[in-house]
Amino acid sequence: MLKYFFISKNEKETQELAALVISYLKPSSVVLLTGDLGAGKTTFVSGALRKLGYNDHVVSPTFNILKCYFEVTPNVFHIDAYRLEDQNHEIGLEEFIEGNGITFIEWPAFIKELIPTEHINIEITRIDDNKRSIVISDETDINKDLFRALEER
């Protein structure tokens, strides 16, 4: 298993880390984001999108469940599964998760049956108002170049 630990001192550092991560992802990559409410999951996605040239405000798709960013390449799909706990998951999300884009999933435990074997885990833990502990892991070891870049930063 590949694993990387980082302490982010502010939102900017979280977004810079996300920009590095997305640089090493390929279309069809799936990134699982875990952490409490307000931990910085959407901030991470925002940093990744900015790296791809998206400069508008990014909000969590909590009420929409899915937000698609077709104006960037590769396309990015941002899923917030928080409202899907104990729900029927047959709403077509697998088309995006298995699709030709990078998929970020917040609250992945609520749709675990849709999660592919190959994915990256990012766990964000709030330390204080600004600081976050970020743990990035890959159980399949398919993203060795990403982890090499993370260690070199």
Side-chain angles (χ1 to χ4, degrees), residues 21-89:
V21 168
I22 202 162
S23 298
Y24 286 88
L25 299 180
K26 61 184 189 300
S28 79
S29 293
V30 175
V31 179
L32 309 183
L33 295 159
T34 58
D36 292 335
L37 289 170
K41 299 178 295 292
T42 300
T43 297
F44 193 93
V45 174
S46 174
L49 283 164
R50 286 199 191 339
K51 174 67 176 178
L52 298 177
Y54 185 83
N55 293 315
D56 288 341
H57 185 65
V58 176
V59 295
S60 180
T62 301
F63 296 101
N64 304 22
I65 300 173
L66 170 68
K67 175 82 170 125
C68 300
Y69 296 90
F70 295 117
E71 54 273 272
V72 297
T73 303
N75 296 152
V76 171
F77 309 115
H78 184 190
I79 297 171
D80 186 328
Y82 185 73
R83 299 201 172 276
L84 296 176
E85 184 178 22
D86 300 324
Q87 300 295 320
N88 178 349
H89 302 148

Side-chain angles (χ1 to χ4, degrees), residues 11-24:
E11 283 187 12
K12 184 176 186 259
E13 285 189 357
T14 298
Q15 290 181 334
E16 288 171 352
L17 179 63
L20 176 63
V21 168
I22 202 162
S23 298
Y24 286 88

